[in-house]
Amino acid sequence: MIQRERVADNVFSFQSDIYAQVTAGAVIGPNWAVVIDTLALPEETLAIRDFIEQELNVPVRYVIISHYHADHAWGTYFFPGATVIGHSLCREWLLERGVPSLESSRRHSQVFRNLKIVPPHITIGDGQLTLRVGKKNMSIFSLPGHSADNVAVLVEEDRVLFSGDACMPLPYIVDGNIDDMVLSLKQVSKLGLENIVQGHGDIILRGEIEGYTKDNLAYLSQIRKAVRKAGRRKYPMDILDEVTVESCGKSRVLIGGLAEQLHRRNLIALYTQMYGVVPESSYDDDDYYDDEEVEPE
Ligand SMILES: [Zn+2]
C-alpha cells in the first residue's frame, strides 16, 4: 500500500501506491521521531505511524506539514501526542478552507468519518526554524510556488531535502504562483543536495538534480510562452487546447498518469492569473470546465 525507502541513516521516505504517488518522510532520533507530511488516506498515515512507533519503537513528537492541501496535511489527527509545525498561512488555510472541505468530503465518503483537522501548533512565517533530532539539524523554510504556504525541510547533515510540492515531476501552480515557483526551483538547484524527496513521485538523486530543475524550469517557460501566444487570440482556449503536456517537454505518464490533466489546469490557471479572465473558447461550451474532481494537491 505504501513504499518505504531508507534515504540516509535514520531518514525514511514513504510513497503512496494509491493516490498520485504522494510522499511523506520521517527522521528518527534516539528518543523520538519527526514525521514530515502525512498521506492522503488514513490507513496510509497509520501505516507510517505503526512503522515508527511499533517497529522502530520511538514516539512521534513532531509532525511538520509542507502545506495545507488534503493529501499532505489531513493526517496530523493520527498523531495526537505530537506538536504540529507548518507555515502560518498553512494554519490559516487549514481552518478556513480545510475544515469546510473535510465536511464536504464526509458527505461523499466514509473514509474521513473519524478525522478532524489539526492545524499547526507552531507556525513559521518566511523565516527559518531549526529542529535538532539526535545529531541531525532539520531546517524548515518557506519554498513557495505550488502554494504560498509551502515549506521545505532540509536534513542538513545528509543534504536531503523534503521539498513539499515545490518539487513535483510536473510543476503544478494552480493554487500558487509561477514566478515564486521559478525562484524556488533555482534555490533548490543551489542547495548542494544528495536527494530530493518530492511531494509526489520518486526520489531525485544527486546526479539527476541539475537536469531535473532545468527540465522543470523549461516546462514553466513553455507554458508561459503558450499562454502569451493564446493571449493574442480572440479565442485563447482554442490555442491552449492544442498545447499538450508533451509539447511542453513532459511525459503524460507522470504522477500516476495525471500529468495531462494537471497540465491543462496549469494552462487555464496561468492564463487566468495573467489576464484576469478565464480563456474563452470558440465552442462556447459551458460544460468545458466541469472536469472531474481528481485533485492531487
Ligand atoms: Zn499540494
Side-chain angles (χ1 to χ4, degrees):
M1 175 175 66
I2 60 174
Q3 305 290 328
R4 183 177 77 228
E5 205 164 322
R6 184 188 156 282
V7 189
D9 271 349
N10 297 312
V11 179
F12 294 91
S13 71
F14 309 90
Q15 189 188 92
S16 173
D17 283 338
I18 302 169
Y19 184 77
Q21 300 177 329
V22 64
T23 73
V27 177
I28 313 298
N31 302 311
W32 44 269
V34 181
V35 163
I36 303 154
D37 273 350
T38 60
L39 293 181
L41 299 175
E43 64 202 271
E44 297 177 304
T45 300
L46 288 169
I48 295 175
R49 187 181 78 184
D50 286 350
F51 169 67
I52 298 169
E53 300 202 335
Q54 311 296 327
E55 281 187 52
L56 304 179
N57 213 16
V58 286
V60 173
R61 186 178 281 186
Y62 295 98
V63 180
I64 302 165
I65 40 182
S66 65
H67 63 300
Y68 80 101
H69 290 160
D71 49 346
H72 300 265
W74 281 12
T76 52
Y77 175 73
F78 298 105
F79 300 93
T83 300
V84 180
I85 302 174
H87 198 280
S88 49
L89 283 173
C90 173
R91 178 177 168 86
E92 198 180 313
W93 289 341
L94 271 172
L95 295 170
E96 262 174 29
R97 306 174 190 178
V99 169
S101 163
L102 172 61
E103 268 167 34
S104 97
S105 298
R106 277 218 199 93
R107 264 177 256 128
H108 302 298
S109 149
Q110 288 286 299
V111 176
F112 299 113
R113 67 183 180 281
N114 294 320
L115 193 139
K116 288 192 184 73
I117 299 282
V118 180
H121 305 101
I122 297 177
T123 57
I124 59 167
D126 294 327
Q128 183 172 317
L129 181 74
T130 304
L131 183 60
R132 192 162 170 88
V133 191
K135 290 183 175 148
K136 299 186 194 226
N137 285 297
M138 299 171 70
S139 92
I140 308 161
F141 57 94
S142 174
L143 197 65
H146 170 79
S147 60
D149 69 331
N150 193 86
V151 297
V153 180
L154 176 65
V155 185
E156 288 179 3
E157 289 72 9
D158 300 314
R159 307 312 294 169
V160 173
L161 183 75
F162 292 89
S163 64
D165 283 356
C167 297
M168 284 173 66
L170 183 84
Y172 190 53
I173 53 151
V174 167
D175 193 24
N177 177 284
I178 192 169
D179 296 321
D180 288 343
M181 186 60 112
V182 167
L183 292 175
S184 289
L185 286 168
K186 287 183 177 166
Q187 187 182 344
V188 165
S189 73
K190 290 178 194 143
L191 288 174
L193 300 172
E194 281 294 322
N195 300 105
I196 301 171
V197 180
Q198 313 181 78
H200 296 256
D202 294 334
I203 295 174
I204 310 296
L205 308 174
R206 182 174 56 182
E208 301 167 336
I209 291 172
E210 197 187 338
Y212 168 84
T213 49
K214 247 186 211 165
D215 284 355
N216 276 7
L217 288 167
Y219 169 78
L220 293 170
S221 130
Q222 287 293 328
I223 60 170
R224 209 198 290 260
K225 219 184 273 174
V227 165
R228 284 207 183 107
K229 187 177 163 201
R232 293 194 287 268
R233 301 298 181 90
K234 183 167 182 216
Y235 295 112
M237 198 63 221
D238 294 10
I239 303 293
L240 295 180
D241 276 340
E242 287 163 15
V243 182
T244 61
V245 70
E246 279 96 351
S247 74
C248 294
K250 289 282 186 183
S251 158
R252 63 175 56 231
V253 306
L254 297 170
I255 319 181
L258 291 170
E260 179 65 27
Q261 191 184 337
L262 301 188
H263 167 70
R264 302 243 65 85
R265 289 179 180 188
N266 272 340
L267 290 172
I268 293 169
L270 183 58
Y271 185 94
T272 310
Q273 288 165 20
M274 280 170 66
Y275 296 103
V277 286
V278 293
E280 215 181 310
S281 163
S282 62
Y283 305 114
D284 198 31
D285 179 352
D286 290 339
D287 297 330
Y288 195 89
Y289 301 101
D290 293 347
D291 27 318
E292 270 180 69
E293 282 296 318
V294 194
E295 188 87 35
E297 293 183 302

